[in-house]
mmCIF file of all heavy atoms in Angstrom:
data_model
loop_
_atom_site.group_PDB
_atom_site.id
_atom_site.type_symbol
_atom_site.label_atom_id
_atom_site.label_comp_id
_atom_site.label_asym_id
_atom_site.label_seq_id
_atom_site.Cartn_x
_atom_site.Cartn_y
_atom_site.Cartn_z
ATOM 1 N N ASP A 24 -7.847 109.365 -29.143
ATOM 2 C CA ASP A 24 -7.035 108.885 -28.031
ATOM 3 C C ASP A 24 -6.152 107.709 -28.460
ATOM 4 O O ASP A 24 -6.534 106.915 -29.323
ATOM 5 C CB ASP A 24 -7.964 108.463 -26.886
ATOM 6 C CG ASP A 24 -7.223 108.288 -25.596
ATOM 7 O OD1 ASP A 24 -6.981 109.295 -24.902
ATOM 8 O OD2 ASP A 24 -6.854 107.141 -25.285
ATOM 9 N N ASP A 25 -4.988 107.602 -27.811
ATOM 10 C CA ASP A 25 -4.050 106.503 -28.095
ATOM 11 C C ASP A 25 -4.671 105.136 -27.830
ATOM 12 O O ASP A 25 -4.304 104.150 -28.467
ATOM 13 C CB ASP A 25 -2.789 106.643 -27.249
ATOM 14 C CG ASP A 25 -1.849 107.702 -27.768
ATOM 15 O OD1 ASP A 25 -2.079 108.211 -28.884
ATOM 16 O OD2 ASP A 25 -0.869 108.015 -27.072
ATOM 17 N N LEU A 26 -5.586 105.057 -26.897
ATOM 18 C CA LEU A 26 -6.251 103.789 -26.588
ATOM 19 C C LEU A 26 -6.994 103.270 -27.814
ATOM 20 O O LEU A 26 -6.904 102.086 -28.154
ATOM 21 C CB LEU A 26 -7.211 104.008 -25.416
ATOM 22 C CG LEU A 26 -7.808 102.811 -24.718
ATOM 23 C CD1 LEU A 26 -6.735 101.905 -24.158
ATOM 24 C CD2 LEU A 26 -8.711 103.289 -23.587
ATOM 25 N N ILE A 27 -7.670 104.156 -28.511
ATOM 26 C CA ILE A 27 -8.452 103.776 -29.692
ATOM 27 C C ILE A 27 -7.543 103.517 -30.892
ATOM 28 O O ILE A 27 -7.706 102.515 -31.602
ATOM 29 C CB ILE A 27 -9.509 104.840 -30.003
ATOM 30 C CG1 ILE A 27 -10.513 104.904 -28.846
ATOM 31 C CG2 ILE A 27 -10.207 104.551 -31.323
ATOM 32 C CD1 ILE A 27 -11.406 106.102 -28.855
ATOM 33 N N SER A 28 -6.569 104.384 -31.124
ATOM 34 C CA SER A 28 -5.675 104.140 -32.250
ATOM 35 C C SER A 28 -4.874 102.860 -32.033
ATOM 36 O O SER A 28 -4.579 102.133 -32.985
ATOM 37 C CB SER A 28 -4.754 105.338 -32.501
ATOM 38 O OG SER A 28 -3.992 105.652 -31.379
ATOM 39 N N GLY A 29 -4.555 102.553 -30.777
ATOM 40 C CA GLY A 29 -3.854 101.309 -30.471
ATOM 41 C C GLY A 29 -4.643 100.080 -30.855
ATOM 42 O O GLY A 29 -4.068 99.069 -31.288
ATOM 43 N N VAL A 30 -5.961 100.140 -30.715
ATOM 44 C CA VAL A 30 -6.817 99.012 -31.106
ATOM 45 C C VAL A 30 -6.592 98.661 -32.576
ATOM 46 O O VAL A 30 -6.403 97.502 -32.940
ATOM 47 C CB VAL A 30 -8.310 99.355 -30.859
ATOM 48 C CG1 VAL A 30 -9.233 98.362 -31.547
ATOM 49 C CG2 VAL A 30 -8.596 99.416 -29.368
ATOM 50 N N TRP A 31 -6.585 99.667 -33.421
ATOM 51 C CA TRP A 31 -6.450 99.451 -34.864
ATOM 52 C C TRP A 31 -5.026 99.062 -35.240
ATOM 53 O O TRP A 31 -4.811 98.261 -36.150
ATOM 54 C CB TRP A 31 -6.950 100.678 -35.621
ATOM 55 C CG TRP A 31 -8.411 100.858 -35.372
ATOM 56 C CD1 TRP A 31 -8.986 101.570 -34.363
ATOM 57 C CD2 TRP A 31 -9.483 100.242 -36.083
ATOM 58 N NE1 TRP A 31 -10.357 101.447 -34.419
ATOM 59 C CE2 TRP A 31 -10.690 100.640 -35.468
ATOM 60 C CE3 TRP A 31 -9.552 99.400 -37.190
ATOM 61 C CZ2 TRP A 31 -11.936 100.225 -35.914
ATOM 62 C CZ3 TRP A 31 -10.792 98.985 -37.640
ATOM 63 C CH2 TRP A 31 -11.965 99.388 -37.007
ATOM 64 N N ILE A 32 -4.041 99.611 -34.518
ATOM 65 C CA ILE A 32 -2.659 99.220 -34.751
ATOM 66 C C ILE A 32 -2.467 97.752 -34.391
ATOM 67 O O ILE A 32 -1.811 96.999 -35.117
ATOM 68 C CB ILE A 32 -1.692 100.118 -33.949
ATOM 69 C CG1 ILE A 32 -1.735 101.541 -34.482
ATOM 70 C CG2 ILE A 32 -0.272 99.569 -33.977
ATOM 71 C CD1 ILE A 32 -1.038 102.557 -33.591
ATOM 72 N N GLY A 33 -3.041 97.336 -33.265
ATOM 73 C CA GLY A 33 -2.936 95.936 -32.844
ATOM 74 C C GLY A 33 -3.544 94.986 -33.863
ATOM 75 O O GLY A 33 -2.964 93.942 -34.172
ATOM 76 N N ALA A 34 -4.690 95.353 -34.408
ATOM 77 C CA ALA A 34 -5.328 94.513 -35.432
ATOM 78 C C ALA A 34 -4.462 94.464 -36.686
ATOM 79 O O ALA A 34 -4.296 93.404 -37.299
ATOM 80 C CB ALA A 34 -6.715 95.048 -35.762
ATOM 81 N N PHE A 35 -3.883 95.601 -37.063
ATOM 82 C CA PHE A 35 -3.008 95.665 -38.233
ATOM 83 C C PHE A 35 -1.775 94.783 -38.033
ATOM 84 O O PHE A 35 -1.402 94.012 -38.918
ATOM 85 C CB PHE A 35 -2.598 97.123 -38.474
ATOM 86 C CG PHE A 35 -1.559 97.307 -39.543
ATOM 87 C CD1 PHE A 35 -1.865 97.071 -40.874
ATOM 88 C CD2 PHE A 35 -0.287 97.720 -39.216
ATOM 89 C CE1 PHE A 35 -0.910 97.242 -41.864
ATOM 90 C CE2 PHE A 35 0.674 97.898 -40.188
ATOM 91 C CZ PHE A 35 0.368 97.656 -41.520
ATOM 92 N N LEU A 36 -1.154 94.861 -36.856
ATOM 93 C CA LEU A 36 0.037 94.065 -36.589
ATOM 94 C C LEU A 36 -0.283 92.574 -36.569
ATOM 95 O O LEU A 36 0.489 91.758 -37.087
ATOM 96 C CB LEU A 36 0.680 94.488 -35.258
ATOM 97 C CG LEU A 36 1.319 95.866 -35.257
ATOM 98 C CD1 LEU A 36 1.751 96.252 -33.844
ATOM 99 C CD2 LEU A 36 2.475 95.934 -36.228
ATOM 100 N N PHE A 37 -1.421 92.214 -35.994
ATOM 101 C CA PHE A 37 -1.798 90.799 -35.972
ATOM 102 C C PHE A 37 -2.088 90.304 -37.386
ATOM 103 O O PHE A 37 -1.765 89.175 -37.732
ATOM 104 C CB PHE A 37 -2.997 90.570 -35.050
ATOM 105 C CG PHE A 37 -3.203 89.117 -34.720
ATOM 106 C CD1 PHE A 37 -2.321 88.458 -33.885
ATOM 107 C CD2 PHE A 37 -4.267 88.411 -35.252
ATOM 108 C CE1 PHE A 37 -2.498 87.107 -33.584
ATOM 109 C CE2 PHE A 37 -4.457 87.071 -34.958
ATOM 110 C CZ PHE A 37 -3.569 86.411 -34.115
ATOM 111 N N SER A 38 -2.657 91.154 -38.191
ATOM 112 C CA SER A 38 -2.902 90.809 -39.588
ATOM 113 C C SER A 38 -1.578 90.590 -40.326
ATOM 114 O O SER A 38 -1.452 89.652 -41.122
ATOM 115 C CB SER A 38 -3.721 91.919 -40.251
ATOM 116 O OG SER A 38 -4.001 91.589 -41.575
ATOM 117 N N LEU A 39 -0.586 91.443 -40.071
ATOM 118 C CA LEU A 39 0.743 91.255 -40.663
ATOM 119 C C LEU A 39 1.367 89.943 -40.189
ATOM 120 O O LEU A 39 1.986 89.224 -40.982
ATOM 121 C CB LEU A 39 1.663 92.419 -40.302
ATOM 122 C CG LEU A 39 1.435 93.726 -41.038
ATOM 123 C CD1 LEU A 39 2.308 94.824 -40.437
ATOM 124 C CD2 LEU A 39 1.725 93.565 -42.516
ATOM 125 N N PHE A 40 1.205 89.635 -38.916
ATOM 126 C CA PHE A 40 1.703 88.383 -38.362
ATOM 127 C C PHE A 40 1.090 87.189 -39.085
ATOM 128 O O PHE A 40 1.797 86.299 -39.550
ATOM 129 C CB PHE A 40 1.403 88.330 -36.854
ATOM 130 C CG PHE A 40 1.480 86.970 -36.245
ATOM 131 C CD1 PHE A 40 2.705 86.357 -36.036
ATOM 132 C CD2 PHE A 40 0.324 86.300 -35.870
ATOM 133 C CE1 PHE A 40 2.769 85.085 -35.476
ATOM 134 C CE2 PHE A 40 0.380 85.042 -35.305
ATOM 135 C CZ PHE A 40 1.613 84.424 -35.104
ATOM 136 N N LEU A 41 -0.250 87.186 -39.213
ATOM 137 C CA LEU A 41 -0.922 86.075 -39.892
ATOM 138 C C LEU A 41 -0.526 85.989 -41.363
ATOM 139 O O LEU A 41 -0.332 84.894 -41.896
ATOM 140 C CB LEU A 41 -2.438 86.216 -39.768
ATOM 141 C CG LEU A 41 -3.012 86.045 -38.363
ATOM 142 C CD1 LEU A 41 -4.515 86.302 -38.377
ATOM 143 C CD2 LEU A 41 -2.711 84.673 -37.808
ATOM 144 N N GLY A 42 -0.408 87.130 -42.013
ATOM 145 C CA GLY A 42 0.000 87.147 -43.413
ATOM 146 C C GLY A 42 1.396 86.581 -43.603
ATOM 147 O O GLY A 42 1.659 85.850 -44.572
#
Side-chain angles (χ1 to χ4, degrees):
D24 194 83
D25 283 351
L26 192 58
I27 296 166
S28 58
V30 167
W31 296 89
I32 293 168
F35 173 69
L36 291 172
F37 195 71
S38 182
L39 285 173
F40 162 73
L41 292 176

